[in-house]
Structures are given as structure tokens and as C-alpha cells.
Amino acid sequence: MPKNSKVTLGLPHSDPVTESVADLLTLAEPLDYKSSRMSMGLSPGAQPAMGKGLLPSPGDEEGRPAWNSKLQYILAQVGFSVGLGNVWRFPYLCQKNGGGAYLVPYFILLILIGIPLFFLELAVGQRIRRGSIGVWNYVYPQLGGIGVSSLMVCGFVGLYYNVIIGWSIFYFFQSFQYPLPWAECPIRVVNGSQAIIEPECEKSSATTYFWYRQTLNITSTIEDSGGLNWRMTLSLFAAWLIVCLAVIKGIQSSGKVMYFSSLFPYVVLICFLVRGLMLKGSVDGIAHMFTPKLEKMLEPQVWREAATQVFFALGLGFGGVIAFSSYNKRDNNCHFDAALVSIINFITSILATLVVFAVLGFKANIMNEKCVVENGEKILGYLNTGVLSHDLIPPHVNFSHLSAVDYQEMYGVIKTVREDSFSQLGLDPCILEDELNKAVQGTGLAFIAFTEAMTHFPASPFWSVMFFFMLINLGLGSMIGTMTGITTPVLDAFPKIRKEFLCVGCCIVAFFCGLLFVQRSGNYFVTMFDDYSAGLPLTVVVMLENISVAWIYGTKRFMQDLEDMLGFRPYSFYFYMWKYVSPACLTVLIVATVIEMSVSPAGYNAWVEELASEKFLSYPPWALGVAYSLIIAAMLPLPCVFIARHFNLLSDGSNKLSVSYRKGMTKDLSGLEEENESRFILGKGTPSPSPSPMPSHRPYLGPGGAQEMTNAAGYGTGTPTKTGYQNIHSPESEL
């Protein structure tokens, strides 16, 4: 850069300008409206300076990877946002919170906070073309800790999320046998000759026993580690090997994987839905699922859980959304992408809910019939021993083909006549509704309830293989996005690092850290990380993302930037959502989360071998310290980076411009006139007096708002020209 280059402003400026600033302004090359940065644009008719601009030219960005096609990018975003939560969390919340009535608050909150914040992350990633750390360093350096916190949360979540993929891999390979190994309780030989059913299995069920004892071989408390479970250790190694191979070449490799991992789950879900609808009782499950309990809509807890599900379903705050969109061209229509991916996510949740409750409706009918048979035999025994009179049995009842209706009639008569001693008979009501109301979620749904239902399917091994292969692909899509959220900001900060070495190194370190979760007590740590490492920290991260764009950078400026980037102005709906509604909703959600954590006891459901059932236990002090340290570690970068940059202890990467000039520009950019707000929001600016071949850009108004900054030197024209000052922080020098 020439050292003697100068620039003269037509207006006096009280702040000194360093030579490096002058060099940058003199050598700034013209930018078209689609490659302009998050900044104040050039005014109509302005003659831009020649030379190197603050944003990289298209030639400078050729080294950054890009998606091979729009379809590949959409599938990557869908694969990241659609994960295991859509299959085993959304159906549970839907059943728990009023069935079809739950869909109303969920859809409302998807519109109010889901799509706007998803659009915001897509837009900033695409505009700045950096990972999560670089984006927020650029938007507002003092809040650069947002990106670091996102990276920390990605690391925590990736550690335990891949353990779930490991469990799915284990079940996948166990499915290649008939009958399925969890179809029946194992037999124990006592004294070399006597064969008995395993007591722990007999007290619970075959699928429950296989999960807790043969898969996890779980201990009874978190304090008893029990040593490593070698089968789960091998499964975890296989899971990290698959993830490593998928992401080792960056989006060049992961993009191709997404063609299969994003589409295959839909094939399986549709196959399961068709097969499920052919099963006896499936309609009962679906009808129960969508029968609305409208009174539930008035409960604040329902809205809080709906907001949390919307929040996590779209993958907000993890950095994966920003990382994926940073590989797009700047003129990509990210507004369309945000709406499309959000709608696909919602439809997937509905599809998964139909599948889950069609299968669980079938299972409920099987269990209810089993209950009727067992209790019918009890009644028949009481009749034969004279405990009950034959006069209590209706004449049309046939014990060899006892129906649920006939049993309900007998049960009602016996309960009425023998009211005083009825409890001693030990009869169960066998009501189908009670079976349908047994809500299960998470691993309890995938590895216990669903596997039990599949044992009753014809050709059960085939359906089991399909189901767990689907879970592997759902998890893999989310893990690719999580790993991209980790590697992209690191590669942006240290471009000389080879991505292959970085990916392999991250996977190796993560595998050894993940050994915590494949101890015999590892499932308790999975629960701890799931409850504490992501919930509150991610909500705070997204809240600060919203504030940094809407209130610090400025919603009006951001709306104009979007118009420059997209070629059209987004609906004013987004202005009000970003500036008012979304921050308010996120604030309420943060407060509600803190209150719930304060009120609810901190603990976990331990499997007690002697009882063959779960029992809630409180965390010991050291475990509670680990749980809260996860929250602190994830949120600590936020205040640390803020303090360090506030006191100039940490460079913000913009040292090419003097501090005094930077402060002056910040002051200037905050002096926009309030009377022009409708113009910025709705795009109702006054027409330019003379047509321009470039799209209309708003002129930069100085602090007084009455006079535009002009350059007295006409670049080769001899006439004054208007100068659009660019935002001073360049993403090329930012992390």
C-alpha cells in the first residue's frame, strides 16, 4: 500500500485520521450492491474510489469453499435442524401438553421467534461469510464472546450427542437376528439344573432389561462409575469414525453425505407410517394424540416448553446455521431458505408424531389385551375357589375369548358388589386410555417403548434395522452441523491449519473426552449434560445475537443491508420481531428457565437393579458442581471478552484504523434521523433526482443529519462526489 496516498474531505473533521485510514479510503474499489458489506451504502450517483475495498473482492474469496448446489445447502440445513428431538421430544410434548392444542402455541412461537431468528442467523452468516466467532466479532467486537460461547456449547453437545449415535449403532447391529434379542427375557440356570427367568427382567420387561442391563450395564448411582463398558466404547469409536469421515473435507465431503443422511429418514418415516396405519389400534393412538385439550393452552408451562422446542428444533445459537450459510453467495435468497427449512422442520415433527403414536397405539392395544387376559384368569381362579360368586358374571361373557368390553363390564360389577374387599383382589382396570397416557420421551421412547412395539411387527428385524439406521442418519446430520460450528470459526481464525488435521484432531480429543459417557454410569452424565450444558447458555447466546443486531448494529441498518444483499426489502414484520417481540420472548424464556432450575430439584432417574425400576435421586454435591460448571463454562466467554475489549486488553482485529477514527465513525453511524424511520423500515424513501444504473442506496447522514459527507476530490472527474463510508471492521481481519 502506498505510504504517500492522501484523501481530502470536503467537511472538516475534528478527529485525527491515520495514514492507514487514508490509504484504505483512497484505494477502496467500487462495490456493487450485492457485494457491499453490512454498512452504509453509497448514495445514488456516487463515483466510488478505485482500488482495494474493505470487503474482499470476488477474486479474494475464491479460496473459501462453497456449496456445489442450492439443494446440497438446503439438505445440510435440514439435516442439521431435523434431529433426534423431532422424533422423540416433539411427540412427547405434544401428548403431555394437550395433544392437538399444543400445536397452536408451537406454531405461533415458530412464527414469532423461530423463523425471524433463524433468518437473522442465516443473513449474518451469508453477509459476513465467517463462522460464529468472526461474525459476532465483526458485528460488535465487545460481544465477540457470543461466538466463543456457541463453540463451547457445540463442544459439550457434540460429546454426548455422539454417544446416542453410538447406542443406535449398537442396536442396529443387534437387529440382524431373529428373534430380536430384546423380545424375550433371558433364562438363568440355577444350581446347574433349574432354569428361571432373570428376576430383574421379570420385574420390568424384556426391552427395559436389554436397555439397562445388557446395553448400558448401568450402575445404581452416579457415584459408582463401574468402569468402562467395552461394547459402548467400541460403539462410540465407530460413531466418531463415521463423523470424522463425513466432515474431514469440510462441506465438500459433508455436503455429499447430506444427500443420503437428510433424505433417508423421510423414507423410513413414511414406510413406518404406512406400516403403522395397517396395525391394529394405530388409529386409537393417532386419535388420542390429536384430541385437543384446550384448557392446556392457558397454562404458562405449555408455552415455555413450546418456545424451548422451537428454539432447539431449528438449531439456533449453535453456530452451525451461521457456518453453513457462510459458504453461500451473498446474493442467495436466505429469506426463502429460512421459511423453507422452518416449514420442513415443522412438517417433519408432525410426521414423526403420527408415526410414533400409530406405533404406540398398536402397542397400547397389545398391552391392554394382555392385561385383560391376565386379569380374566385371576377372576376365573377366584370363581373356581369360591372367592367370587358366578352370579357376578354376566351370562354372555366367554372367558376363552374375553374382550376388553366384557372385562370392563365384569370389573364394574365386581367393584360395586365387593367394594369393601375389592382392593384385596388385585384386579387392574385395563383401560386403553391409561396405556395411551403413559408418556415416554428420549431414550425411553427410542430404546424401550418403540423397540417393544417392533417385537410385535411381522418381520421385526427388518423394521428394527430401518429404525435404528434412521436414528443414525438423523444424529449424523446434526453432528455434521455441530462439527461445522466448531471447525469453521477455528479455520477462519487460523487459515493455515489444514482442515483434515483439525477435524481428525477434534474427533480424537472428543472420543477420549466421551469416555466419560461410556462408563457404566455414563447414562447419568448424558442426562446431566443434556439438562445443563445447552439450555440456558444457548438461550442467552441467541438473546445477545438478537440484541447485537437489532439494538447495537441497528435494525434499520440491518434491513437496508438485507435489501442490498437480497435485492428486495424483507417484510416490515421482521423489523418489529427482531427489535421488540423476539427479545421480549427470549427474556421471558430465560427468566422462566432460571425459575424452573431454582424450583425443581436437581437430580436424575437412577435404575435400581433390586427394584428393577427407576428412582429419582438428587445429585451429590460434586455432581451438582459439575452441572453448574457446565453452565458457567459455556457462558464465561461472554463477560470475559466484553471486559477484555472494553479495557483494550484484547484486540478486536481492526487495528488498521486508528482508535479515534473508529470512535468518530461509530458516533456518526448512530446519528440517523428518527423522522426517516418509515423509510428505513418500509423502504419508502424519496426517489433519486437522477436515474442511476445501480440500485438505490441511502446516503450517509452525518451526526447533524442535514448534510451528506462529500469528497472534494472527484476521482478522475473533477467534480465533487458523495462518499459512502463502510463499516470499519473488516471480517477478513476478524475472528
Side-chain angles (χ1 to χ4, degrees):
M1 180 178 290
K3 290 294 181 184
N4 296 325
S5 58
K6 303 290 180 181
V7 66
T8 305
L9 296 177
L11 293 177
H13 202 287
S14 59
D15 293 331
V17 181
T18 65
E19 286 191 353
S20 60
V21 175
D23 294 338
L24 287 170
L25 293 175
T26 303
L27 298 179
E29 72 175 354
L31 301 172
D32 61 49
Y33 74 100
K34 288 184 178 179
S35 64
S36 61
R37 67 179 294 157
M38 282 180 131
S39 63
M40 307 303 296
L42 290 173
S43 58
Q47 300 295 323
M50 302 299 293
K52 183 175 177 63
L54 290 178
L55 267 183
S57 64
D60 296 331
E61 294 195 351
E62 289 179 356
R64 188 169 184 81
W67 297 104
N68 292 332
S69 66
K70 180 66 173 283
L71 176 61
Q72 189 181 87
Y73 164 68
I74 293 296
L75 289 177
Q77 290 285 16
V78 169
F80 176 54
S81 65
V82 175
L84 297 173
N86 296 77
V87 175
W88 67 30
R89 179 68 177 168
F90 184 89
Y92 162 76
L93 291 175
C94 198
Q95 180 192 24
K96 174 187 174 185
N97 295 317
Y102 172 75
L103 300 179
V104 176
Y106 182 87
F107 188 74
I108 290 174
L109 292 169
L110 179 66
I111 299 298
L112 294 182
I113 64 175
I115 295 179
L117 293 176
F118 192 60
F119 180 27
L120 184 145
E121 288 202 355
L122 290 179
V124 295
Q126 179 175 309
R127 184 70 167 180
I128 303 173
R129 295 187 63 119
R130 286 293 174 270
S132 57
I133 295 179
V135 160
W136 304 112
N137 275 344
Y138 168 55
V139 173
Y140 187 59
Q142 289 183 332
L143 287 180
I146 293 175
V148 183
S149 289
S150 292
L151 191 147
M152 294 286 292
V153 173
C154 275
F156 290 148
V157 172
L159 287 178
Y160 77 84
Y161 202 89
N162 222 25
V163 174
I164 301 174
I165 299 179
W167 294 339
S168 302
I169 291 173
F170 176 76
Y171 267 78
F172 173 75
F173 285 106
Q174 290 291 316
S175 300
F176 287 96
Q177 49 186 306
Y178 184 82
L180 291 170
W182 51 82
E184 297 177 353
C185 286
I187 303 298
R188 177 193 292 185
V189 178
V190 181
N191 298 327
S193 59
Q194 185 180 3
I196 63 171
I197 297 176
E198 182 67 42
E200 186 180 3
C201 183
E202 189 175 21
K203 292 179 183 177
S204 54
S205 68
T207 50
T208 304
Y209 175 81
F210 186 86
W211 166 242
Y212 282 114
R213 187 55 52 212
Q214 295 188 300
T215 301
L216 301 178
N217 194 20
I218 199 166
T219 58
S220 296
T221 66
I222 195 173
E223 295 176 287
D224 180 11
S225 69
L228 289 178
N229 182 335
W230 67 269
R231 289 188 291 185
M232 292 302 100
T233 303
L234 292 177
S235 299
L236 179 63
F237 177 79
W240 277 113
L241 181 62
I242 293 171
V243 171
C244 184
L245 294 176
V247 302
I248 193 168
K249 292 289 185 181
I251 63 170
Q252 281 79 8
S253 59
S254 62
K256 294 179 176 63
V257 173
M258 285 296 185
Y259 280 115
F260 182 80
S261 65
S262 296
L263 294 176
F264 180 75
Y266 291 96
V267 176
V268 176
L269 284 174
I270 292 172
C271 290
F272 261 98
L273 180 60
V274 173
R275 184 67 186 91
L277 291 175
M278 297 168 62
L279 297 171
K280 179 183 177 181
S282 60
V283 176
D284 294 330
I286 293 175
H288 176 78
M289 180 68 251
F290 289 104
T291 300
K293 302 177 181 66
L294 299 179
E295 66 278 3
K296 285 279 189 178
M297 291 179 58
L298 302 177
E299 298 179 9
Q301 177 76 359
V302 174
W303 288 83
R304 189 192 69 80
E305 292 189 343
T308 303
Q309 179 62 17
V310 167
F311 187 79
F312 289 107
L314 294 174
L316 299 174
F318 282 95
V321 173
I322 293 175
F324 279 153
S325 65
S326 72
Y327 298 115
N328 274 328
K329 296 179 180 178
R330 280 201 179 89
D331 59 354
N332 174 64
N333 189 349
C334 55
H335 175 259
F336 171 79
D337 299 342
L340 177 64
V341 174
S342 300
I343 292 172
I344 291 175
N345 190 293
F346 179 66
I347 293 174
T348 304
S349 298
I350 299 296
L351 176 61
T353 300
L354 290 173
V355 171
V356 166
F357 280 90
V359 174
L360 292 185
F362 164 71
K363 174 179 175 286
N365 271 267
I366 294 291
M367 300 306 294
N368 195 59
E369 289 177 359
K370 183 180 178 181
C371 176
V372 168
V373 171
E374 291 177 350
N375 285 270
E377 291 177 352
K378 285 184 181 180
I379 294 176
L380 191 59
Y382 291 144
L383 292 174
N384 293 333
T385 57
V387 175
L388 293 177
S389 171
H390 286 273
D391 296 336
L392 298 177
I393 308 303
H396 63 273
V397 171
N398 183 357
F399 278 93
S400 60
H401 296 88
L402 186 62
S403 67
V405 175
D406 290 342
Y407 175 77
Q408 290 295 325
E409 186 177 355
M410 282 195 306
Y411 180 86
V413 172
I414 295 172
K415 186 176 182 180
T416 302
V417 174
R418 300 291 299 270
E419 183 176 0
D420 295 336
S421 59
F422 179 77
S423 59
Q424 299 175 2
L425 299 177
L427 297 178
D428 299 316
C430 298
I431 301 174
L432 180 63
E433 191 79 8
D434 293 342
E435 288 291 338
L436 292 171
N437 282 329
K438 292 180 180 178
V440 287
Q441 64 165 323
T443 54
L445 174 63
F447 298 105
I448 298 177
F450 219 85
T451 53
E452 183 174 354
M454 287 188 293
T455 59
H456 302 287
F457 280 23
S460 56
F462 168 78
W463 294 104
S464 183
V465 168
M466 292 279 283
F467 176 72
F468 289 108
F469 194 42
M470 178 191 72
L471 292 187
I472 292 170
N473 280 276
L474 284 173
L476 181 60
S478 297
M479 275 303 299
I480 288 174
T482 301
M483 289 297 294
T484 305
I486 295 173
T487 58
T488 296
V490 175
L491 290 172
D492 289 341
F494 307 101
K496 293 184 179 180
I497 297 178
R498 291 190 60 179
K499 65 181 69 173
E500 295 87 349
F501 293 160
L502 177 63
C503 291
V504 172
C506 287
C507 291
I508 291 175
V509 172
F511 168 73
F512 283 105
C513 292
L515 294 178
L516 171 69
F517 306 103
V518 291
Q519 303 175 98
R520 291 180 58 196
S521 61
N523 187 48
Y524 304 139
F525 288 98
V526 170
T527 302
M528 177 194 293
F529 272 64
D530 189 38
D531 290 341
Y532 289 92
S533 68
L536 183 60
L538 272 187
T539 313
V540 173
V541 162
V542 177
M543 174 75 168
L544 293 176
E545 287 180 0
N546 196 166
I547 290 174
S548 63
V549 171
W551 288 91
I552 298 176
Y553 181 77
T555 313
K556 293 180 286 186
R557 291 172 60 197
F558 187 54
M559 291 289 285
Q560 181 63 39
D561 293 331
L562 290 175
E563 182 178 9
D564 294 343
M565 182 171 69
L566 303 176
F568 65 90
R569 182 178 294 274
Y571 301 114
S572 56
F573 163 82
Y574 290 105
F575 177 92
Y576 296 106
M577 292 300 105
W578 287 329
K579 192 158 189 177
Y580 304 111
V581 178
S582 294
C585 291
L586 289 171
T587 302
V588 172
L589 182 58
I590 290 172
V591 173
T593 302
V594 172
I595 292 175
E596 186 193 19
M597 291 177 64
S598 304
V599 174
S600 302
Y604 61 101
N605 290 318
W607 178 258
V608 182
E609 183 177 359
E610 293 76 16
L611 302 176
S613 63
E614 289 184 335
K615 180 181 179 182
F616 183 82
L617 298 177
S618 298
Y619 283 122
W622 66 267
L624 199 59
V626 172
Y628 286 120
S629 68
L630 293 174
I631 299 176
I632 295 172
M635 297 176 62
L636 193 61
L638 297 170
C640 288
V641 173
F642 183 88
I643 293 171
R645 285 188 171 151
H646 181 75
F647 293 101
N648 296 322
L649 302 176
L650 180 65
S651 171
D652 61 7
S654 58
N655 53 3
K656 292 183 180 179
L657 300 178
S658 68
V659 175
S660 59
Y661 182 81
R662 187 158 59 248
K663 290 180 178 178
M665 287 298 295
T666 304
K667 179 181 177 182
D668 288 348
L669 293 174
S670 64
L672 299 172
E673 290 184 312
E674 290 299 326
E675 66 187 42
N676 290 328
E677 179 161 337
S678 63
R679 176 185 175 191
F680 286 102
I681 301 173
L682 305 174
K684 298 177 181 179
T686 56
S688 175
S690 60
S692 170
M694 295 292 290
S696 177
H697 290 262
R698 53 196 166 98
Y700 173 70
L701 300 177
Q707 189 175 9
E708 295 178 13
M709 284 190 166
T710 61
N711 190 345
Y715 295 96
T717 64
T719 58
T721 58
K722 300 171 185 176
T723 302
Y725 280 83
Q726 303 294 331
N727 191 309
I728 56 176
H729 304 299
S730 169
E732 297 306 299
S733 61
E734 297 279 338
L735 291 183

